[in-house]
Short mmCIF file of all heavy atoms in Angstrom, two decimals:
data_model
loop_
_atom_site.label_atom_id
_atom_site.label_comp_id
_atom_site.label_asym_id
_atom_site.label_seq_id
_atom_site.Cartn_x
_atom_site.Cartn_y
_atom_site.Cartn_z
N THR A 1184 -95.99 85.50 -64.55
CA THR A 1184 -96.14 86.88 -64.07
C THR A 1184 -95.19 87.85 -64.76
O THR A 1184 -94.96 88.93 -64.27
CB THR A 1184 -95.90 86.97 -62.55
OG1 THR A 1184 -94.61 86.43 -62.29
CG2 THR A 1184 -96.94 86.26 -61.75
N ASN A 1185 -94.65 87.45 -65.94
CA ASN A 1185 -93.70 88.36 -66.59
C ASN A 1185 -94.34 89.69 -66.98
O ASN A 1185 -93.69 90.70 -67.00
CB ASN A 1185 -92.97 87.76 -67.79
CG ASN A 1185 -93.60 86.50 -68.28
OD1 ASN A 1185 -94.58 86.04 -67.72
ND2 ASN A 1185 -93.06 85.92 -69.32
N ASP A 1186 -95.66 89.65 -67.25
CA ASP A 1186 -96.33 90.91 -67.59
C ASP A 1186 -97.41 91.20 -66.57
O ASP A 1186 -98.56 91.47 -66.90
CB ASP A 1186 -96.91 90.81 -69.00
CG ASP A 1186 -95.81 90.91 -70.04
OD1 ASP A 1186 -94.89 91.72 -69.83
OD2 ASP A 1186 -95.86 90.16 -71.02
N ILE A 1187 -97.02 91.19 -65.32
CA ILE A 1187 -98.01 91.29 -64.24
C ILE A 1187 -98.87 92.55 -64.38
O ILE A 1187 -100.06 92.53 -64.06
CB ILE A 1187 -97.29 91.22 -62.86
CG1 ILE A 1187 -98.31 91.08 -61.74
CG2 ILE A 1187 -96.41 92.40 -62.60
CD1 ILE A 1187 -97.70 90.74 -60.40
N ASP A 1188 -98.29 93.63 -64.90
CA ASP A 1188 -99.06 94.86 -64.96
C ASP A 1188 -100.15 94.86 -66.04
O ASP A 1188 -101.04 95.69 -66.02
CB ASP A 1188 -98.11 96.06 -65.14
CG ASP A 1188 -97.25 96.23 -63.89
OD1 ASP A 1188 -97.84 96.34 -62.81
OD2 ASP A 1188 -96.02 96.20 -64.00
N ILE A 1189 -100.04 93.91 -66.95
CA ILE A 1189 -101.08 93.83 -68.00
C ILE A 1189 -102.30 93.06 -67.49
O ILE A 1189 -103.42 93.27 -67.92
CB ILE A 1189 -100.51 93.13 -69.26
CG1 ILE A 1189 -99.41 94.00 -69.85
CG2 ILE A 1189 -101.60 92.86 -70.27
CD1 ILE A 1189 -98.69 93.35 -71.01
N ILE A 1190 -102.03 92.16 -66.53
CA ILE A 1190 -103.10 91.28 -66.08
C ILE A 1190 -104.29 92.10 -65.58
O ILE A 1190 -104.14 93.03 -64.81
CB ILE A 1190 -102.57 90.33 -64.99
CG1 ILE A 1190 -101.57 89.37 -65.62
CG2 ILE A 1190 -103.71 89.56 -64.32
CD1 ILE A 1190 -100.72 88.62 -64.64
N GLY A 1191 -105.44 91.74 -66.06
CA GLY A 1191 -106.65 92.46 -65.66
C GLY A 1191 -107.05 93.51 -66.67
O GLY A 1191 -108.23 93.85 -66.79
N THR A 1192 -106.05 94.04 -67.42
CA THR A 1192 -106.40 95.08 -68.39
C THR A 1192 -106.93 94.45 -69.68
O THR A 1192 -107.58 95.10 -70.47
CB THR A 1192 -105.19 95.97 -68.76
OG1 THR A 1192 -104.19 95.12 -69.34
CG2 THR A 1192 -104.60 96.64 -67.53
N THR A 1193 -106.62 93.16 -69.89
CA THR A 1193 -107.19 92.45 -71.04
C THR A 1193 -108.04 91.31 -70.50
O THR A 1193 -107.97 90.99 -69.31
CB THR A 1193 -106.09 91.80 -71.92
OG1 THR A 1193 -105.61 90.64 -71.22
CG2 THR A 1193 -104.95 92.74 -72.19
N GLY A 1194 -108.80 90.71 -71.37
CA GLY A 1194 -109.61 89.58 -70.93
C GLY A 1194 -108.84 88.27 -71.03
O GLY A 1194 -109.33 87.22 -70.65
N ARG A 1195 -107.63 88.33 -71.59
CA ARG A 1195 -106.91 87.08 -71.90
C ARG A 1195 -105.81 86.73 -70.92
O ARG A 1195 -105.47 85.58 -70.76
CB ARG A 1195 -106.26 87.19 -73.29
CG ARG A 1195 -107.21 87.34 -74.42
CD ARG A 1195 -106.46 87.25 -75.74
NE ARG A 1195 -105.37 88.19 -75.81
CZ ARG A 1195 -105.38 89.34 -76.45
NH1 ARG A 1195 -106.46 89.69 -77.10
NH2 ARG A 1195 -104.34 90.14 -76.47
N HIS A 1196 -105.18 87.74 -70.30
CA HIS A 1196 -104.01 87.45 -69.47
C HIS A 1196 -104.41 87.11 -68.04
O HIS A 1196 -105.23 87.80 -67.45
CB HIS A 1196 -103.05 88.64 -69.46
CG HIS A 1196 -102.40 88.85 -70.78
ND1 HIS A 1196 -102.95 89.61 -71.77
CD2 HIS A 1196 -101.22 88.39 -71.27
CE1 HIS A 1196 -102.15 89.59 -72.83
NE2 HIS A 1196 -101.10 88.86 -72.55
N LEU A 1197 -103.79 86.08 -67.53
CA LEU A 1197 -104.04 85.66 -66.15
C LEU A 1197 -102.69 85.36 -65.50
O LEU A 1197 -101.76 84.94 -66.19
CB LEU A 1197 -104.88 84.37 -66.13
CG LEU A 1197 -106.29 84.45 -66.73
CD1 LEU A 1197 -106.86 83.04 -66.87
CD2 LEU A 1197 -107.21 85.29 -65.86
N SER A 1198 -102.59 85.54 -64.20
CA SER A 1198 -101.33 85.14 -63.54
C SER A 1198 -101.38 83.63 -63.27
O SER A 1198 -100.41 82.92 -63.46
CB SER A 1198 -101.11 85.91 -62.24
OG SER A 1198 -102.11 85.61 -61.31
N PHE A 1199 -102.54 83.14 -62.85
CA PHE A 1199 -102.71 81.69 -62.67
C PHE A 1199 -103.66 81.20 -63.73
O PHE A 1199 -104.71 81.80 -63.96
CB PHE A 1199 -103.32 81.40 -61.28
CG PHE A 1199 -103.65 79.94 -61.10
CD1 PHE A 1199 -102.72 79.07 -60.54
CD2 PHE A 1199 -104.88 79.43 -61.50
CE1 PHE A 1199 -103.01 77.72 -60.39
CE2 PHE A 1199 -105.17 78.07 -61.36
CZ PHE A 1199 -104.24 77.23 -60.80
N PHE A 1200 -103.29 80.12 -64.39
CA PHE A 1200 -104.22 79.51 -65.34
C PHE A 1200 -103.97 78.01 -65.41
O PHE A 1200 -102.96 77.52 -64.91
CB PHE A 1200 -104.09 80.15 -66.73
CG PHE A 1200 -102.74 79.98 -67.36
CD1 PHE A 1200 -102.49 78.95 -68.26
CD2 PHE A 1200 -101.70 80.84 -67.04
CE1 PHE A 1200 -101.24 78.80 -68.84
CE2 PHE A 1200 -100.43 80.68 -67.61
CZ PHE A 1200 -100.21 79.66 -68.51
N GLU A 1201 -104.93 77.33 -66.00
CA GLU A 1201 -104.77 75.89 -66.17
C GLU A 1201 -104.46 75.62 -67.64
O GLU A 1201 -105.14 76.17 -68.52
CB GLU A 1201 -106.06 75.17 -65.77
CG GLU A 1201 -106.37 75.26 -64.29
CD GLU A 1201 -107.71 74.61 -63.98
OE1 GLU A 1201 -107.75 73.38 -63.83
OE2 GLU A 1201 -108.71 75.33 -63.90
N MET A 1202 -103.46 74.79 -67.88
CA MET A 1202 -103.09 74.47 -69.26
C MET A 1202 -103.38 72.98 -69.52
O MET A 1202 -102.83 72.11 -68.85
CB MET A 1202 -101.60 74.75 -69.50
CG MET A 1202 -101.19 74.60 -70.96
SD MET A 1202 -99.40 74.77 -71.21
CE MET A 1202 -99.25 76.52 -71.40
N LEU A 1203 -104.26 72.75 -70.48
CA LEU A 1203 -104.50 71.37 -70.90
C LEU A 1203 -103.40 71.00 -71.89
O LEU A 1203 -103.01 71.85 -72.70
CB LEU A 1203 -105.86 71.27 -71.58
CG LEU A 1203 -107.07 71.51 -70.67
CD1 LEU A 1203 -108.32 71.77 -71.50
CD2 LEU A 1203 -107.29 70.30 -69.75
N GLY A 1204 -102.92 69.81 -71.82
CA GLY A 1204 -101.85 69.47 -72.75
C GLY A 1204 -101.76 67.98 -73.01
O GLY A 1204 -102.27 67.15 -72.25
N ASN A 1205 -101.13 67.65 -74.13
CA ASN A 1205 -100.76 66.26 -74.39
C ASN A 1205 -99.36 66.25 -74.97
O ASN A 1205 -98.96 67.21 -75.63
CB ASN A 1205 -101.77 65.56 -75.31
CG ASN A 1205 -101.90 66.24 -76.63
OD1 ASN A 1205 -102.45 67.31 -76.74
ND2 ASN A 1205 -101.34 65.60 -77.67
N PHE A 1206 -98.63 65.19 -74.66
CA PHE A 1206 -97.20 65.17 -74.96
C PHE A 1206 -96.80 63.81 -75.50
O PHE A 1206 -97.20 62.78 -74.94
CB PHE A 1206 -96.40 65.45 -73.67
CG PHE A 1206 -96.91 66.67 -72.94
CD1 PHE A 1206 -97.94 66.56 -72.01
CD2 PHE A 1206 -96.40 67.93 -73.23
CE1 PHE A 1206 -98.44 67.68 -71.37
CE2 PHE A 1206 -96.90 69.05 -72.60
CZ PHE A 1206 -97.92 68.93 -71.66
N SER A 1207 -96.05 63.83 -76.58
CA SER A 1207 -95.56 62.56 -77.13
C SER A 1207 -94.04 62.62 -77.15
O SER A 1207 -93.47 63.65 -77.49
CB SER A 1207 -96.12 62.37 -78.54
OG SER A 1207 -95.25 61.56 -79.31
N PHE A 1208 -93.43 61.54 -76.72
CA PHE A 1208 -91.97 61.50 -76.71
C PHE A 1208 -91.52 60.45 -77.72
O PHE A 1208 -91.27 59.30 -77.38
CB PHE A 1208 -91.47 61.15 -75.30
CG PHE A 1208 -92.24 61.89 -74.23
CD1 PHE A 1208 -93.10 61.21 -73.37
CD2 PHE A 1208 -92.15 63.28 -74.13
CE1 PHE A 1208 -93.83 61.90 -72.42
CE2 PHE A 1208 -92.88 63.97 -73.18
CZ PHE A 1208 -93.73 63.29 -72.33
N GLY A 1209 -91.54 60.89 -78.97
CA GLY A 1209 -91.06 59.99 -80.03
C GLY A 1209 -92.11 59.02 -80.54
O GLY A 1209 -91.81 58.16 -81.36
N LYS A 1210 -93.35 59.15 -80.14
CA LYS A 1210 -94.38 58.23 -80.66
C LYS A 1210 -95.20 58.95 -81.73
O LYS A 1210 -94.78 59.02 -82.87
CB LYS A 1210 -95.24 57.71 -79.52
CG LYS A 1210 -94.50 56.78 -78.56
CD LYS A 1210 -94.53 55.35 -79.07
CE LYS A 1210 -93.61 54.39 -78.33
NZ LYS A 1210 -93.89 54.15 -76.94
N TYR A 1211 -96.35 59.51 -81.38
CA TYR A 1211 -97.11 60.18 -82.44
C TYR A 1211 -96.49 61.53 -82.75
O TYR A 1211 -95.84 62.15 -81.92
CB TYR A 1211 -98.60 60.29 -82.12
CG TYR A 1211 -98.97 61.02 -80.83
CD1 TYR A 1211 -99.17 62.40 -80.82
CD2 TYR A 1211 -99.17 60.31 -79.64
CE1 TYR A 1211 -99.54 63.06 -79.65
CE2 TYR A 1211 -99.53 60.97 -78.47
CZ TYR A 1211 -99.73 62.35 -78.48
OH TYR A 1211 -100.08 62.99 -77.34
N PHE A 1212 -96.74 62.01 -84.00
CA PHE A 1212 -96.14 63.29 -84.38
C PHE A 1212 -97.16 64.15 -85.14
O PHE A 1212 -98.36 64.08 -84.87
CB PHE A 1212 -94.84 63.04 -85.17
CG PHE A 1212 -93.94 64.23 -85.27
CD1 PHE A 1212 -93.62 64.98 -84.14
CD2 PHE A 1212 -93.44 64.66 -86.49
CE1 PHE A 1212 -92.81 66.10 -84.23
CE2 PHE A 1212 -92.63 65.78 -86.58
CZ PHE A 1212 -92.32 66.50 -85.45
N LYS A 1213 -96.67 64.95 -86.06
CA LYS A 1213 -97.49 66.00 -86.67
C LYS A 1213 -98.86 65.54 -87.19
O LYS A 1213 -99.88 66.09 -86.83
CB LYS A 1213 -96.74 66.61 -87.86
CG LYS A 1213 -95.70 67.61 -87.46
CD LYS A 1213 -95.06 68.22 -88.70
CE LYS A 1213 -93.85 69.03 -88.29
NZ LYS A 1213 -93.14 69.58 -89.43
N ARG A 1214 -98.82 64.53 -88.04
CA ARG A 1214 -100.06 64.15 -88.72
C ARG A 1214 -101.10 63.70 -87.71
O ARG A 1214 -102.26 64.17 -87.72
CB ARG A 1214 -99.80 63.05 -89.77
CG ARG A 1214 -100.99 62.70 -90.62
CD ARG A 1214 -100.62 61.88 -91.84
NE ARG A 1214 -99.85 62.60 -92.84
CZ ARG A 1214 -100.39 63.42 -93.76
NH1 ARG A 1214 -101.70 63.61 -93.80
NH2 ARG A 1214 -99.63 64.05 -94.62
N GLU A 1215 -100.69 62.82 -86.81
CA GLU A 1215 -101.64 62.32 -85.80
C GLU A 1215 -102.13 63.46 -84.93
O GLU A 1215 -103.32 63.55 -84.59
CB GLU A 1215 -100.98 61.27 -84.89
CG GLU A 1215 -100.51 60.00 -85.59
CD GLU A 1215 -99.09 60.10 -86.12
OE1 GLU A 1215 -98.63 61.23 -86.41
OE2 GLU A 1215 -98.43 59.05 -86.26
N MET A 1216 -101.20 64.39 -84.58
CA MET A 1216 -101.56 65.47 -83.67
C MET A 1216 -102.57 66.42 -84.31
O MET A 1216 -103.57 66.79 -83.71
CB MET A 1216 -100.30 66.24 -83.24
CG MET A 1216 -100.59 67.28 -82.17
SD MET A 1216 -101.30 66.53 -80.69
CE MET A 1216 -102.70 67.59 -80.39
N CYS A 1217 -102.29 66.80 -85.56
CA CYS A 1217 -103.20 67.72 -86.24
C CYS A 1217 -104.59 67.09 -86.37
O CYS A 1217 -105.61 67.75 -86.16
CB CYS A 1217 -102.68 68.07 -87.63
SG CYS A 1217 -101.17 69.06 -87.56
#
Side-chain angles (χ1 to χ4, degrees):
T1184 56
N1185 14 359
D1186 285 320
I1187 190 169
D1188 293 305
I1189 295 174
I1190 293 166
T1192 61
T1193 74
R1195 297 188 306 259
H1196 291 87
L1197 297 169
S1198 64
F1199 174 91
F1200 62 96
E1201 293 176 82
M1202 187 186 273
L1203 293 164
N1205 59 288
F1206 310 88
S1207 153
F1208 318 111
K1210 292 274 169 64
Y1211 58 89
F1212 197 49
K1213 281 183 190 177
R1214 186 166 291 279
E1215 297 88 334
M1216 186 59 228
C1217 292

